[in-house]
């Protein structure tokens, strides 16, 4: 069995849902050495998250942002954790809803995503800064 791991620093992005599949594949060229396996991508932050969804129509990503902003509103007077601004606690809640990692099968040296699937960085802060990922792939 082969195991590979790579840290990846993503450039700062505006608030929203961003496809990062190519950046993940580029960061771990050893994927092509694995015929059958698993790739796990983990984000080392509590105010951004990862998910897998449609990679073709950008309105899907815009609708995700709209939905989460309506569902988890900013400036709620009941939030106690607001030290870093009005988007701070909502970002933590959104991150908890979506999660900090995704797992993708590897098949014939490639991520076995569906035709219309991509990996999203879900940036929940207005100014989240650079985001760090740990990508781990294993298999034969």
């Amino acid at each position: 069995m082969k195991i590979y791991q790579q840290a990846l620093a993503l450039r700062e992005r505006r608030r929203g849902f961003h496809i990062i599949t190519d950046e993940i594949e580029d960061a771990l060229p050893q994927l092509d050495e694995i015929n059958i396996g698993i790739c796990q991508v983990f984000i080392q932050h509590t105010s951004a998250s990862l998910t897998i969804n449609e990679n073709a129509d950008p309105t899907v990503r815009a609708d995700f942002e709209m939905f989460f902003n309506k569902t988890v509103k900013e400036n709620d007077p009941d939030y106690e954790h607001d030290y870093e601004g009005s988007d701070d606690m909502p970002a933590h809640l959104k991150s908890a809803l979506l999660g900090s990692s995704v797992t993708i099968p590897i098949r014939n040296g490639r991520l076995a995503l569906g035709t219309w699937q991509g990996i999203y960085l879900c940036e929940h802060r207005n100014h989240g800064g650079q985001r760090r990922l740990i990508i781990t792939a294993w298999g034969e």
Side-chain angles (χ1 to χ4, degrees), residues 18-19 67 89 115 118 135-136:
H18 308 277
I19 296 174
F67 171 82
M89 191 60 215
T115 302
I135 307 161
T136 307

Side-chain angles (χ1 to χ4, degrees), residues 29-123:
Q30 299 93 336
L31 281 174
D32 65 6
E33 298 176 26
I34 300 174
N35 288 317
I36 185 169
I38 297 290
C39 180
Q40 189 227 18
V41 184
F42 176 79
I43 189 165
Q44 297 181 300
H45 301 274
T46 60
S47 58
S49 55
L50 300 171
T51 194
I52 295 173
N53 217 287
E54 181 173 328
N55 66 358
D57 185 349
T59 63
V60 171
R61 296 187 302 279
D63 287 345
F64 260 92
E65 180 66 11
M66 175 274 307
F67 171 82
F68 276 92
N69 288 336
K70 286 172 64 175
T71 304
V72 183
K73 295 188 185 304
E74 291 184 20
N75 298 307
D76 187 321
D78 292 333
Y79 293 145
E80 292 184 34
H81 180 77
D82 61 0
Y83 305 118
E84 296 177 42
S86 63
D87 67 342
D88 189 20
M89 191 60 215
H92 293 306
L93 293 170
K94 292 171 186 178
S95 178
L97 290 171
L98 287 167
S100 58
S101 68
V102 293
T103 305
I104 308 108
I106 301 169
R107 185 171 184 185
N108 299 322
R110 307 245 335 134
L111 296 178
L113 292 164
T115 302
W116 306 112
Q117 288 183 319
I119 303 168
Y120 289 11
L121 166 67
C122 313
E123 177 56 68

